[in-house]
Amino acid sequence: NMAFATIDVTKGITGTIPVANGGTGLASGTTDQFLKFTGTTTLASAAVQQGLEATSQWRLTTTFSNSALPITSNWEQVDTDGYANLGSAITESSGVFSFPATGFWLITYCASYNNSSANDRYVNTLIQTDTGSGYATAAKAFTNIPQSVNGTSTGANGVTSFLFDVTNVSTHKVRFGNEIENSNTQTTGDSNYNNTFITFQKLGDT
């Protein structure tokens, strides 16, 4: 039988082996990252793209009348019908919502309205964000409620969204509310299903 000699490839080698010679061009790797090509000759370490990392929903539990900017009470994280949040959940205090992690967060707000006595010329649905220097309106949906007939309630929905780059969880906050012309118009809520509600989705790292 022919004997095969073994070669110790570490002897006589200093530095890193370049890609052109079958190496990686790297002295070490980074935990939880992978190797990828950049251009045609160099390998680099990069973070794993995990897709949607976190998502959760909140809803208004109680119906109220007139404007509220912001809505400061009666929010709850959804807790019925098989709901479960993915990753760490958003937290809320007095209508101010805080993020569990930095990243690009897609915020979608759907509000339901009705009026049983008259029309409402404007009903506006708002998302307001704060990056550390005070709240500003980031998104606003305009709608109206037509004249009711024979006292029958008529309604409308307002839906708006905003992509929020949360670079600091201590300073970046969001809140929600409405601007209503007719004080009899109600923003409707329920603790058993999503009526007026918010969806938070972390799309990736900032």
Side-chain angles (χ1 to χ4, degrees):
N1 294 331
M2 182 180 293
F4 291 93
T6 59
I7 300 173
D8 186 348
V9 296
T10 63
K11 291 185 181 296
I13 296 176
T14 60
T16 60
I17 302 175
V19 174
N21 295 100
T24 64
L26 300 174
S28 64
T30 303
T31 302
D32 295 328
Q33 294 194 348
F34 67 96
L35 296 177
K36 70 174 184 178
F37 280 101
T38 56
T40 58
T41 61
T42 305
L43 280 166
S45 184
V48 177
Q49 298 298 312
Q50 298 178 344
L52 190 65
E53 296 181 25
T55 183
S56 59
Q57 286 188 318
W58 287 73
R59 64 187 173 203
L60 186 69
T61 62
T62 305
T63 297
F64 67 90
S65 299
N66 211 349
S67 299
L69 189 61
I71 301 171
T72 59
S73 60
N74 300 314
W75 290 109
E76 71 166 6
Q77 187 175 349
V78 175
D79 58 1
T80 58
D81 308 304
Y83 170 84
N85 60 274
L86 171 66
S88 298
I90 298 288
T91 57
E92 179 268 341
S93 177
S94 300
V96 174
F97 290 80
S98 299
F99 298 85
T102 58
F104 292 104
W105 288 84
L106 178 61
I107 306 164
T108 304
Y109 177 38
C110 176
S112 295
Y113 306 103
N114 75 65
N115 192 314
S116 61
S117 60
N119 69 327
D120 198 333
R121 186 171 59 90
Y122 70 79
V123 179
N124 302 333
T125 303
L126 294 90
I127 298 174
Q128 294 188 321
T129 56
D130 183 6
T131 59
S133 58
Y135 283 95
T137 297
K140 181 189 287 192
F142 298 86
T143 188
N144 63 78
I145 296 177
Q147 177 70 52
S148 60
V149 179
N150 298 325
T152 301
S153 294
T154 56
N157 289 326
V159 181
T160 190
S161 65
F162 185 72
L163 183 59
F164 195 23
D165 183 8
V166 179
T167 58
N168 187 323
V169 297
S170 297
T171 59
H172 287 53
K173 311 288 183 180
V174 64
R175 66 187 190 183
F176 305 86
N178 57 44
E179 297 170 331
I180 289 173
E181 182 182 46
N182 188 320
S183 61
N184 292 317
T185 295
Q186 296 179 321
T187 302
T188 58
D190 199 290
S191 62
N192 296 310
Y193 54 85
N194 290 359
N195 192 208
T196 294
F197 64 95
I198 311 153
T199 301
F200 298 93
Q201 296 174 294
K202 183 183 176 185
L203 304 182
D205 293 328
T206 183

